[in-house]
Amino acid sequence: VLETAADPTVSYQWQRDGENIPLGNESKLTVTQPGTYTLVSSLVNQCSRSSYSDEVMVKHIRPSVKLTAPVRAICNGLSATLQAPMGNYNYRWYREGIAVASVTGSSIAVTDPGIYTARLTYLPIGCEIYSDTVRIGTRPNPEPLISAERASGQVCRSDSLRLSTVSENGYKYQWFRNGDQLPISGNVYFAKMDGAYSVQVIDSAGCTGKSTEFRVFSVDKITVQLDSIPPFCDLSHPPVSLKFDPPGGMLSGNGVVGQAFDPAKAGYGKHEITYTIDHSALACLQGRAKREVVIIKPPAINLTSVREIPWGSSFQPNQSDQAGYTYEWSPPFYLSNTDQANPVITPEDSITYTLRVTDSIG
């Protein structure tokens, strides 16, 4: 309402933006349109110049205001802040059309999704201004998973196990062992100790998620053993069982049949027997042991079974003499020596001798 003092000797003409307003001839004018208003007045019964009032600019209060909300989706445990323009207002906030009675300021922190609006009362004139609507949605919390290069969680005591989780721009990471935070902030951690490991992820919106625990087990290096095998003097010896530790490995080599060694299948000579454990990706759970088996031909005896000589004469049996062999004749009668390959024999009667020849390994 624009108004000047009423005077019956004065005529009035209101103008908006320099144009006369129809029926604007009273001292009071109610305006509903914005613009620049001027009152032109003159004396009724006299010829006089018209007088022009100061200009009055009338503006619309904004019919609506815009709310700002940097975050339009919230996750469990976080809030989003809505901000209305600051000024000489009273504020009322609404969620899904229902007033939020506890908030009367120019901003509100919301933890529930929904459609929010604000109603502002401009205090100087009491008019109400309505805001636009802001929809706050939900955002899922991250659900990190720990991946390991070995699902068993085993790691050699002197080694480390690579643990990792998804890598995303803007993510922050915190690693824990047995509930204690570790000084590592990336998406990869190399675990060297026993324990329950977990990772917490904070995304770019501040939403937090924590993985389930992943167990890591330290493993000591195994000792692979294979018992020694005594030498064999010929191929007629029955197979012998091989003794090894720990179980679960593989035996290989000439003469190996299952878990036994068969001299007949190996043949004369030196043979290497190997016991190998190689069924794990862990170096400390792998190993091998080797043993050498010797199968030696028995000493050759080249005596004739019957020898006839004139009574009272002597002879030598012509047995080959090998270095390292021992010789034993029995009975010891009529012999120049009982521990030589070719003693001089001077029998006084018919007699049967036995020669026992032993090589260097018995």
Side-chain angles (χ1 to χ4, degrees):
V1 176
L2 307 180
E3 185 176 8
T4 189
D7 187 346
T9 64
V10 177
S11 64
Y12 303 99
Q13 176 61 58
W14 290 93
Q15 294 181 345
R16 182 170 74 90
D17 298 332
E19 300 290 335
N20 290 339
I21 298 175
L23 305 179
N25 305 116
E26 304 293 333
S27 61
K28 182 187 294 186
L29 177 70
T30 300
V31 300
T32 59
Q33 298 294 323
T36 300
Y37 289 83
T38 308
L39 175 61
V40 181
S41 60
S42 60
L43 294 175
V44 174
N45 298 318
Q46 299 181 34
C47 181
S48 66
R49 292 185 177 182
S50 298
S51 298
Y52 292 80
S53 70
D54 292 334
E55 293 180 345
V56 175
M57 183 175 292
V58 176
K59 297 180 179 179
H60 266 154
I61 298 295
R62 286 177 294 179
S64 66
V65 295
K66 185 175 181 61
L67 300 179
T68 59
V71 176
R72 295 299 181 101
I74 54 178
C75 52
N76 185 31
L78 292 183
S79 63
T81 299
L82 282 67
Q83 180 70 52
M86 299 179 65
N88 196 9
Y89 302 106
N90 276 339
Y91 301 87
R92 282 180 292 171
W93 292 90
Y94 296 84
R95 176 181 177 272
E96 307 290 349
I98 299 174
V100 183
S102 60
V103 182
T104 57
S106 62
S107 65
I108 182 174
V110 300
T111 58
D112 297 316
I115 297 176
Y116 288 84
T117 57
R119 188 178 300 176
L120 285 64
T121 302
Y122 186 57
L123 295 178
I125 58 177
C127 62
E128 288 190 334
I129 308 169
Y130 295 86
S131 74
D132 58 356
T133 59
V134 174
R135 180 184 294 274
I136 301 298
T138 58
R139 179 187 181 101
N141 288 69
E143 296 182 354
L145 295 174
I146 292 180
S147 299
E149 56 188 331
R150 282 182 299 279
S152 65
Q154 292 180 320
V155 59
C156 294
R157 198 165 295 278
S158 60
D159 202 354
S160 62
L161 179 66
R162 185 181 187 273
L163 307 178
S164 64
T165 189
V166 62
S167 176
E168 294 286 351
N169 290 333
Y171 274 26
K172 297 179 181 178
Y173 304 89
Q174 295 175 346
W175 287 88
F176 299 84
R177 174 180 172 269
N178 296 336
D180 297 327
Q181 186 171 343
L182 299 168
I184 296 295
S185 59
N187 72 307
V188 176
Y189 182 75
F190 291 90
K192 296 182 178 181
M193 301 174 63
D194 289 344
Y197 289 83
S198 59
V199 62
Q200 180 174 280
V201 173
I202 305 174
D203 67 14
S204 57
C207 300
T208 302
K210 195 170 185 178
S211 71
T212 56
E213 292 183 337
F214 183 87
R215 299 287 306 188
V216 174
F217 307 91
S218 295
V219 179
D220 292 316
K221 183 170 179 58
I222 62 172
T223 300
V224 180
Q225 297 177 329
L226 176 63
D227 283 2
S228 60
I229 305 169
F232 296 89
C233 294
D234 57 43
L235 303 180
S236 63
H237 197 289
V240 295
S241 296
L242 299 171
K243 296 180 180 180
F244 47 84
D245 188 71
M250 179 178 293
L251 289 160
S252 60
N254 288 338
V256 174
V257 179
Q259 296 184 358
F261 177 78
D262 187 351
K265 289 189 175 296
Y268 291 114
K270 294 181 179 181
H271 306 283
E272 186 176 78
I273 306 302
T274 303
Y275 179 60
T276 304
I277 294 182
D278 190 18
H279 52 69
S280 171
L282 289 175
C284 55
L285 295 182
Q286 302 174 4
R288 65 181 54 190
K290 296 181 179 182
R291 293 291 184 178
E292 186 177 76
V293 183
V294 180
I295 304 177
I296 302 174
K297 289 183 179 181
I301 299 177
N302 52 2
L303 299 178
T304 57
S305 60
V306 177
R307 185 74 175 265
E308 293 181 349
I309 62 172
W311 183 87
S313 63
S314 300
F315 79 98
Q316 286 182 286
N318 294 323
Q319 168 64 30
S320 57
D321 190 358
Q322 296 286 337
Y325 283 15
T326 60
Y327 300 87
E328 181 183 357
W329 291 86
S330 64
F333 308 127
Y334 316 125
L335 299 170
S336 63
N337 194 304
T338 60
D339 57 4
Q340 291 182 351
N342 287 291
V344 177
I345 304 175
T346 309
E348 296 180 0
D349 201 352
S350 296
I351 188 171
T352 299
Y353 290 101
T354 299
L355 173 61
R356 181 183 183 87
V357 183
T358 305
D359 67 10
S360 59
I361 63 170

